[in-house]
Amino acid sequence: MAKPMHPTPMLDTLETGPWPSFVSGLKRLAQDKDYVVDVLGQLETSYRTRKGYWKGGTVGVFGYGGGVIPRFTELKDDSGQPVFKDAAEFHTLRVMPPPGMHYSTDILRKLCDAWEQHGSGLIAFHGQSGDIMFQGATSENVQKAFDAINALGFDLGGAGPAVRTSMSCVGAARCEQSCFDEARAHRTVINSFLDDIHRPSLPYKFKFKFSGCPNDCMNSIQRADMAVIGTWRDNIQTDETLARRYFAKHGMTELVNNVVVRCPTKAIQVVDAKQVKAGPTISSVKVDDTHALQIDNRDCVRCMHCINVITGGLAPGKDKGATILVGGKRTLKIGDLMGTVVVPFMKLETEQDREKLVELAQKIIDFFAENALEHERTGEMIERIGLVNFLDAMGIDADPNMVSCPRTNPYVRTDGWDDEVARIAAKKVA
Ligand code: SF4
């Protein structure tokens, strides 16, 4: 039986809302664990004073330089605030999830058992950086908890100035829009940089994220130093049965208002079924006996909107691969940055393709390690030195796909583009 609870009037109000509350979860754990009683007391103090009372330190496991976030309470001596001695140590283990975050219930139960034995029992699936956060171990139990979790086949993730834990979307296992094998690409890349994850030696953090299609469910364009986003380079595929089914259910008004006018580049239109254009860059599908959707794929910017709305009726093309972007990050020194395209299209089907991806990642990380200032992310480094210099160092030629809004940018000449498309199409036919 644990010690009596501290009064927590502010936390209690969080339990009154319609959703399950983490406070109720912590109270349940506090029935057996004294230190959770004190964690709740400290949290209530934080809410009252609007101050955090956790401080860092140095805690780790044998052979690793990161992966454990030390948390020591500042409220263990008499400092005018209530004292919570039992919460003196409440460290977090960051553990890498499997690609796509697929678990069996059996492994989840085993992870829970291991953490109940050696830690508080409190687990967050998943933290901001994608890790499973095992929260609340004493310094003495950190190694024991890691050994138990490691024996189940899981490894610590990154922390500090290192390659961080990566994330990949649920992928082809449960999503028809997937354009490459995200899980395999994720695992291949991360296995190549384990040393950089476990022994922080970079100027700052470096994150990979893998999204199977341009919906970018991992938000990789905003948040990854190197984002791998699935795409296609041929025409959108169509299925007449499913397109007709959509139209029968939703009608013309919704088709126009929710699909056609929302295409950012006006690539898609409704036409008379008898007047559909033919051509190597045109996709078309009848939605009833008199109307058809017609897409000029030269103008499609792969925003995914029409495909998301008429799922199945429209689908990504057959020639699939990924776009590589570098330099996305949330606010730091120079504000938010979106990733910049460095490779517009890369096939990711074979082992050799994935090795090329690893080679590119290695080049980028090496360059980042040598050229970034301390506490500077890749995007900030590229802003400082210039994209041209970065591309030069990577051995990549500049390409209009790297220019934001190339159609409205006076530095990009588009004369000759139509000839180029015709030449490529003629080559394909031949
Ligand atoms: Fe338009 Fe292409 Fe987006 Fe469809 S995926 S709405 S055609 S830009």
Side-chain angles (χ1 to χ4, degrees):
M1 187 65 193
K3 64 184 191 175
M5 299 286 284
H6 303 282
T8 54
M10 295 179 88
L11 292 181
D12 296 345
T13 58
L14 295 178
E15 292 184 282
T16 58
W19 308 108
S21 166
F22 75 97
V23 176
S24 311
L26 280 172
K27 282 184 180 170
R28 216 163 35 239
L29 293 172
Q31 288 168 5
D32 306 318
K33 302 198 169 164
D34 283 353
Y35 61 100
V36 183
V37 174
D38 274 9
V39 165
L40 278 161
Q42 177 174 324
L43 191 57
E44 176 75 19
T45 310
S46 282
Y47 276 34
R48 188 165 43 74
T49 60
R50 300 185 182 194
K51 280 188 188 163
Y53 294 103
W54 295 117
K55 60 178 179 176
T58 314
V59 179
V61 297
F62 190 68
Y64 287 63
V68 180
I69 316 292
R71 288 285 177 266
F72 294 96
T73 181
E74 288 178 344
L75 300 181
K76 63 183 167 70
D77 314 305
D78 195 3
S79 55
Q81 295 290 356
V83 172
F84 301 105
K85 280 203 178 89
D86 285 328
E89 297 165 357
F90 203 75
H91 312 310
T92 296
L93 268 71
R94 282 189 177 171
V95 173
M96 281 196 267
M101 294 166 180
H102 294 273
Y103 303 91
S104 65
T105 47
D106 177 53
I107 202 73
L108 286 174
R109 286 202 180 90
K110 286 179 178 154
L111 286 171
C112 292
D113 290 347
W115 192 238
E116 286 207 338
Q117 189 184 350
H118 301 291
S120 68
L122 182 67
I123 309 176
F125 285 89
H126 301 84
Q128 280 284 316
S129 53
D131 299 271
I132 319 170
M133 309 290 275
F134 290 84
Q135 295 165 322
T138 58
S139 303
E140 190 199 337
N141 275 358
V142 162
Q143 182 72 49
K144 290 180 200 161
F146 168 68
D147 290 343
I149 293 166
N150 196 226
L152 295 172
F154 287 78
D155 199 359
L156 284 188
V163 171
R164 295 296 189 85
T165 301
S166 294
M167 293 165 89
S168 50
C169 63
V170 69
R174 290 181 57 204
C175 176
E176 63 257 74
Q177 319 296 23
S178 165
C179 293
F180 68 100
D181 188 341
E182 312 80 5
R184 193 171 291 198
H186 176 173
R187 188 39 70 200
T188 309
V189 168
I190 223 63
N191 281 358
S192 311
F193 295 102
L194 280 179
D195 201 37
D196 291 298
I197 294 177
H198 294 144
R199 281 161 275 282
S201 57
L202 296 176
Y204 199 29
K205 62 180 100 165
F206 189 99
K207 298 182 180 180
F208 293 103
K209 292 193 195 298
F210 302 81
S211 287
C213 80
N215 278 325
D216 194 11
C217 294
M218 290 292 100
N219 298 330
S220 58
I221 192 166
Q222 292 100 343
R223 298 187 46 212
D225 294 275
M226 180 164 163
V228 183
I229 303 179
T231 188
W232 65 95
R233 60 182 168 183
D234 55 349
N235 295 344
I236 287 181
Q237 298 187 74
T238 57
D239 180 307
E240 189 171 326
T241 313
L242 295 177
R244 278 180 182 257
R245 195 177 296 164
Y246 170 87
F247 189 73
K249 186 167 175 209
H250 298 274
M252 183 59 83
T253 309
E254 207 170 317
L255 179 67
V256 172
N257 289 346
N258 198 17
V259 180
V260 176
V261 300
R262 290 197 165 157
C263 173
T265 50
K266 300 188 172 57
I268 187 165
Q269 50 183 311
V270 181
V271 295
D272 187 321
K274 290 196 193 105
Q275 291 178 359
V276 172
K277 269 201 222 160
T281 63
I282 304 289
S283 306
S284 63
V285 62
K286 275 188 176 177
V287 291
D288 66 4
D289 292 342
T290 48
H291 299 96
L293 272 177
Q294 176 181 294
I295 301 170
D296 190 340
N297 286 277
R298 276 182 312 178
D299 290 333
C300 171
V301 289
R302 279 61 170 164
C303 81
M304 290 296 287
H305 180 71
C306 62
I307 294 174
N308 290 337
V309 178
I310 313 181
T311 301
L314 302 176
K318 288 185 186 147
D319 189 4
K320 295 172 177 170
T323 298
I324 318 295
L325 301 97
V326 176
K329 60 159 213 52
R330 272 308 318 267
T331 315
L332 197 62
K333 297 184 195 69
I334 57 170
D336 295 10
L337 290 177
M338 301 282 248
T340 301
V341 172
V342 294
V343 180
F345 188 86
M346 180 185 254
K347 276 287 195 194
L348 279 178
E349 280 169 5
T350 61
E351 278 310 317
Q352 286 88 336
D353 294 338
R354 285 184 283 274
E355 280 315 311
K356 275 191 204 146
L357 183 68
V358 172
E359 272 168 34
L360 177 65
Q362 186 70 63
K363 258 189 187 176
I364 294 172
I365 288 180
D366 289 349
F367 187 81
F368 174 62
E370 277 172 29
N371 293 283
L373 303 176
E374 207 173 311
H375 219 255
E376 184 179 58
R377 292 285 291 273
T378 342
E380 292 161 332
M381 174 193 74
I382 293 172
E383 281 284 306
R384 180 170 53 78
I385 65 172
L387 181 63
V388 173
N389 291 324
F390 176 73
L391 292 174
D392 204 29
M394 295 300 110
I396 295 172
D397 290 335
D399 181 295
N401 289 292
M402 297 165 187
V403 180
S404 102
C405 306
R407 290 163 203 242
T408 52
N409 187 320
Y411 292 101
V412 178
R413 295 188 63 104
T414 56
D415 42 357
W417 280 19
D418 283 350
D419 299 343
E420 179 72 4
V421 171
R423 194 181 58 74
I424 293 169
K427 216 162 135 192
K428 273 190 188 163
V429 171

